[in-house]
Amino acid sequence: MIERPGYPSWEEHRIAALHRYDILDTPPDGAFDRITAMAADLFDVPISIISLVDQDRIWFKSRHGVDTVQIDRAPGLCASAILQGEPWVLTDARRDVRSLTNPLVAGEFGLQFYVGVPLRTTDGFNLGTLCVIDREPRAITERQLAQLRNLAAMVMDQMELRLSARNSIDELSRAVAEKETALRRAEVLAKEVDHRVMNSLQLVAALLRVQSRAVDDAHSAEQLKRASGRVIAVARVHQHIYLNNQGDVGECRDYLTRLGHDLAGMLGTGEHARIVVDSIEARVAIDRLVPLGIIMNELVTNASKQGARTIRVTLRHADPDRYLLRVTDDGPGLPDHFDSTATEGLGMKVVGTLVEQLGGELVLAHADDLGGASVGVLFPVRSPDETIIP
């Protein structure tokens, strides 16, 4: 600790205590101004000040009856008042040996009456004073002094309240920052897991394709190829969720559009289908995007295999409580009396299972606008275990 000539040994700690309140050079405050007004009225004096004694200045947090914002520390009576625990009382400063040579007393200002009560912190440091001043000598009563002590305690209460509030805000800010950091780390970890899952699915698909070429039975080879294709589809669906991930929910329109573009690239152009995605904006729970994406993949792929040249994917509100995901095409359409539950095709069985997972129902119809098949999935906007936000 560095001691400064003319200053007490604990001055460095007192200054540190003052600065922790972060109150120096702050704007005027009505709560403090009311206290100085009450103090002036209590003593019937023209001037009352809440002063804070800094290293080389005395700054006025509130001033009643003067325009000066601060003065040098050297001539200030408040600098003397903070050196003791009791109020500094000068009823006739021109006759008091402690102050008769002080420039504020002997000079143009002409101070003759001063009472300053130290503003004391809970850990024992005097930061400044609540003082009352007059240019005429006057007497005071013990009752007035006791009331000025109470007003000084109110000043410190206000300062402690603001310090506590600022500390609480700082703690909250730190907690929010820590939470945001943890969330960012979790997001990075989740993306890394997603990346590894996609790589693993692609590896499984590659192994199935290799196995399909190794078997002699044509039917088994075809089934292995189809299994490989479905694993790739799951990987593709997972990839687009990863690209469009917004936490627990994802934007369904962007997701379906990305997936449709990817399917168009996979199926090719020219003789193959043109895929059009037309969806409302809907934020859908991530774990519902997976079955929706696989259903779309199965229906679009099947329509293309049946020779459709145009395939339209739409998502609409069927009613206030349900969405309708529909895939229509200009292909040959569904066979008469088609029963999705009785078909031997693996694709429709996959679709049926996923529709059940969504808590929805399958809607089969003729595509009036395109002339081919229309396969829709009605599913609830909300279900007991998750929320889909429109």
Side-chain angles (χ1 to χ4, degrees), residues 352-373:
T353 300
L354 295 175
V355 170
E356 290 182 7
Q357 181 179 329
L358 287 168
E361 61 179 286
L362 201 61
V363 180
L364 305 176
H366 181 75
D368 293 333
D369 54 343
L370 293 179

Side-chain angles (χ1 to χ4, degrees), residues 202-238:
Q202 290 169 352
L203 177 60
V204 171
L207 291 174
L208 288 172
R209 287 196 300 272
V210 171
Q211 187 64 30
S212 70
R213 292 193 291 268
V215 299
D216 296 329
D217 180 63
H219 178 71
S220 298
E222 180 61 25
Q223 293 303 314
L224 286 170
K225 288 180 181 178
R226 291 183 179 181
S228 173
R230 285 184 168 82
V231 172
I232 291 175
V234 172
R236 184 164 51 245
V237 167
H238 194 83

Side-chain angles (χ1 to χ4, degrees), residues 56 104 122 358 368:
D56 298 308
L104 296 175
T122 55
L358 287 168
D368 293 333

Side-chain angles (χ1 to χ4, degrees), residues 95-168:
R95 296 179 181 274
D96 196 308
V97 295
R98 295 173 298 172
S99 58
L100 56 87
T101 61
N102 187 286
L104 296 175
V105 177
E108 182 180 352
F109 186 76
L111 182 150
Q112 293 194 54
F113 173 79
Y114 174 92
V115 180
V117 176
L119 302 176
R120 193 172 183 84
T121 67
T122 55
D123 50 352
F125 293 106
N126 293 337
L127 306 183
T129 69
L130 170 62
C131 63
V132 288
I133 298 170
D134 198 354
R135 293 183 171 88
E136 301 291 336
R138 62 176 56 242
I140 64 169
T141 66
E142 287 297 326
R143 182 171 180 272
Q144 285 177 313
L145 194 57
Q147 290 176 322
L148 192 63
R149 289 178 186 268
N150 289 333
L151 290 175
M154 291 173 59
V155 172
M156 286 309 303
D157 287 344
Q158 288 291 330
M159 290 177 62
E160 293 290 351
L161 180 64
R162 284 159 172 74
L163 176 62
S164 177
R166 193 178 76 249
N167 288 342
S168 296

Side-chain angles (χ1 to χ4, degrees), residues 8 10 14 51 53 58 73-90 98 102 114-120 125-132 148:
W10 37 260
R14 191 195 68 82
S51 68
V53 181
I58 300 175
R73 178 168 173 166
L77 294 173
C78 296
S80 300
I82 65 169
L83 298 178
Q84 60 184 37
E86 296 301 315
W88 186 265
V89 180
L90 301 172
R98 295 173 298 172
N102 187 286
Y114 174 92
V115 180
V117 176
L119 302 176
R120 193 172 183 84
F125 293 106
N126 293 337
L127 306 183
T129 69
L130 170 62
C131 63
V132 288
L148 192 63

